[in-house]
Amino acid sequence: EYFNVYRNKLTGTLPQSMRLRMMIYFDVGRNFLTGTLPVDLGEKFVELRHLHLDHNKFRGTLPESYNTVGNNRLESFSINHNQLTGVVPGKRELYNKLVQYNLQSNNFDEMDSDVCRIEIPFGENVELRCVSLLRRF
């Protein structure tokens, strides 16, 4: 349920087809991981609430399947400080659980207009970081 290898100098890639259905917290931040992000993570991590992939060297695009991680019940997502490109997908069915969404310091070309459409219940603390997000703007 809980996987935290934050700041461990890990290298290599994240394996495709991880079947960690009951994972709630997954943090591989501040390592030296490379490669592309597993496309099917959104389908496999159905109980996930916290996903932290920040401060690595991931490249390629942010898969649209990441919008359904945890069956749309993700609470925190950090992908900042990587080398991701392309469009930040924004088509999500629910945003009402997401209170932290960090995207800054990547090389994205554009952001889908729905990325910032967040519907949070009154009184929740919300953090959306996109500073230095787009390379051509």
Side-chain angles (χ1 to χ4, degrees), residues 118-135:
I118 299 177
E119 299 166 5
I120 302 294
F122 178 75
E124 300 247 2
N125 183 18
V126 179
E127 178 181 13
L128 172 62
R129 290 193 179 198
C130 299
V131 179
S132 301
L133 173 68
L134 306 175
R135 79 175 134 181

Side-chain angles (χ1 to χ4, degrees), residues 3 5 10-20 23 26 28 33-42 44-45 51 53 58 63 66:
F3 184 78
V5 292
L10 297 176
T11 60
T13 61
L14 286 180
Q16 298 290 329
S17 298
M18 290 186 282
R19 297 184 190 275
L20 303 171
M23 187 68 55
F26 188 80
V28 296
L33 299 174
T34 59
T36 59
L37 297 171
V39 175
D40 63 351
L41 192 134
K44 304 295 184 192
F45 282 52
L51 177 59
L53 306 166
F58 292 118
Y66 281 47

